[in-house]
Amino acid sequence: MEFREITTFLQAAQLKSFSKAAKKLDYSQGAVTIQIKHLESELGVRLFDRIGKQVSLTYQGELFYRYAVTLTHDLEKIKDAMAATRELTGTLTLGTIESLCSSVIPPILAKYHRLFPQVSVSIVIDSPRTLLEMMNENALDIVYFLDKRLYDRRWIKVLEEPEEIVFVASSDHPFAGQKDLTLDQVISQPFLLTEKAASYRSILDGYLAAHGKKIRPFLEIGNTDFILQMLRENEGLSLLPLFSIKKDVEAGVLTPLTVKDFHMQTWRQVVYHKDKWVTREMSEFLKLAGAGQGGAV
């Protein structure tokens, strides 16, 4: 039994596809099939049920999967122990959303790069749903996202912090400083909003629908920096995470609006797959992101 066969088995099991496993490992599909057959022959059991292009683990496959994950983790521990005194030179693939990438992520990555300049970092920006699906298929190491509290038995959650979502306007807008604004007043204004796939946009639409209301933005765009620039020019209102406007508020350029009987909160969360071995590259990022303080939640 070779370790590369176990690695191939784990990829095929996680991706539920020999062809996807082949692409991930840069093998031919035939090579994956041969390795799995060799493993099955050596173990004397059938590890996968194959129906068309879909594969799923048999009972014996599920049992072997648990042992294979443990074995892989133990080997990674050995490698990390041997490399503990060496400089980090591996890779880190991070999934995040656009608003976090334009405000929260840059200072974290700047410090990370200063500490570990040889690590190659890749960032994928998409909706939380897409990112989490990618993580489940082992295409991402870590997902740092903003959404309602999400849980899945396949994940380890290492950070969960509340974030205020606020209506925001230019400090020159007539609504700036008013304390008795109603929701109807605010949503009647010209609006710039993130696309409907954005988590807090979905929360807003759901909240308004529950109260029989609707908002019709004059602009929808997935670029938070563009929205902020338009707000600075006093072109409409928006709904954004408070952290994304912090610098502009401190500079007196933008202001969050106080709206009667309206409060919206979402959650900043960091997760990785429970079957993913936490490399030193991942561990150091989690520490810088604030996720290493209290462990899993």
Side-chain angles (χ1 to χ4, degrees):
M1 187 183 303
E2 298 182 14
F3 185 72
R4 68 188 180 95
E5 293 173 347
I6 297 175
T7 301
T8 299
F9 164 78
L10 287 173
Q11 289 291 338
Q14 291 167 358
L15 299 175
K16 298 181 174 61
S17 167
F18 285 7
S19 60
K20 289 182 179 179
K23 185 176 181 180
K24 178 73 176 179
L25 297 167
D26 198 24
Y27 291 158
S28 68
Q29 186 169 340
V32 170
T33 301
I34 290 171
Q35 289 183 43
I36 296 299
K37 285 183 176 180
H38 185 268
L39 200 55
E40 289 178 326
S41 176
E42 189 168 354
L43 292 170
V45 298
R46 192 178 185 89
L47 297 173
F48 290 98
D49 282 326
R50 303 164 180 82
I51 302 176
K53 294 183 179 180
Q54 298 295 315
V55 297
S56 59
L57 291 174
T58 62
Y59 171 78
Q60 291 85 357
E62 294 278 2
L63 183 62
F64 182 69
Y65 180 86
R66 293 196 290 271
Y67 283 109
V69 167
T70 301
L71 179 63
T72 302
H73 286 184
D74 287 343
L75 183 60
E76 291 296 338
K77 285 181 182 179
I78 295 171
K79 289 180 178 178
D80 277 358
M82 297 300 100
T85 58
R86 297 205 300 266
E87 185 177 9
L88 296 189
T89 58
T91 63
L92 177 70
T93 307
L94 174 68
T96 191
I97 64 171
E98 197 275 336
S99 59
L100 286 171
C101 197
S102 64
S103 53
V104 173
I105 299 297
I108 297 173
L109 280 185
K111 186 171 184 180
Y112 187 87
H113 180 65
R114 287 196 298 272
L115 292 171
F116 313 108
Q118 300 304 314
V119 176
S120 177
V121 180
S122 298
I123 297 179
V124 176
I125 299 174
D126 215 311
S127 67
R129 180 178 179 180
T130 298
L131 296 172
L132 292 168
E133 288 175 352
M134 291 178 67
M135 183 187 71
N136 288 336
E137 294 184 351
N138 201 29
L140 296 173
D141 295 325
I142 299 169
V143 175
Y144 197 149
F145 67 104
L146 196 68
D147 208 328
K148 59 182 180 292
R149 283 170 162 168
L150 297 178
Y151 300 98
D152 192 297
R153 61 182 179 81
R154 295 171 292 179
W155 308 340
I156 300 294
K157 181 177 285 190
V158 291
L159 180 68
E160 184 177 84
E161 294 289 340
E163 292 290 351
E164 297 298 312
I165 307 298
V166 297
F167 289 113
V168 57
S170 164
S171 296
D172 295 327
H173 194 280
F175 284 176
Q178 291 194 32
K179 302 297 183 183
D180 58 349
L181 292 170
T182 66
L183 185 58
D184 285 336
Q185 282 180 292
V186 171
I187 65 174
S188 68
Q189 296 292 303
F191 254 84
L192 307 99
L193 288 178
T194 53
E195 296 163 316
K196 292 184 178 180
S199 58
Y200 45 91
R201 169 67 188 278
S202 298
I203 295 171
L204 173 65
D205 288 341
Y207 179 91
L208 294 177
H211 291 78
K213 303 178 188 297
K214 184 181 291 186
I215 192 168
R216 294 181 177 84
F218 79 86
L219 176 67
E220 293 179 298
I221 187 170
N223 188 308
T224 304
D225 285 337
F226 185 89
I227 292 175
L228 289 172
Q229 186 58 42
M230 293 288 284
L231 291 173
R232 293 174 190 128
E233 299 294 330
N234 201 10
E235 296 292 339
L237 308 181
S238 190
L239 181 87
L240 293 169
L242 189 57
F243 65 74
S244 69
I245 63 170
K246 182 179 178 182
K247 290 183 179 179
D248 285 290
V249 172
E250 291 173 349
V253 177
L254 300 180
T255 183
L257 301 179
T258 302
V259 181
K260 292 190 296 185
D261 302 321
F262 178 84
H263 177 258
M264 184 176 293
Q265 181 177 272
T266 189
W267 298 83
R268 188 160 43 91
Q269 300 161 81
V270 177
V271 297
Y272 64 89
H273 199 282
K274 69 179 181 63
D275 294 331
K276 183 77 173 180
W277 171 248
V278 180
T279 64
R280 289 178 63 207
E281 288 78 9
M282 290 173 61
S283 179
E284 294 299 337
F285 176 85
L286 293 173
K287 290 176 185 177
L288 291 177
Q293 302 298 319
V297 298

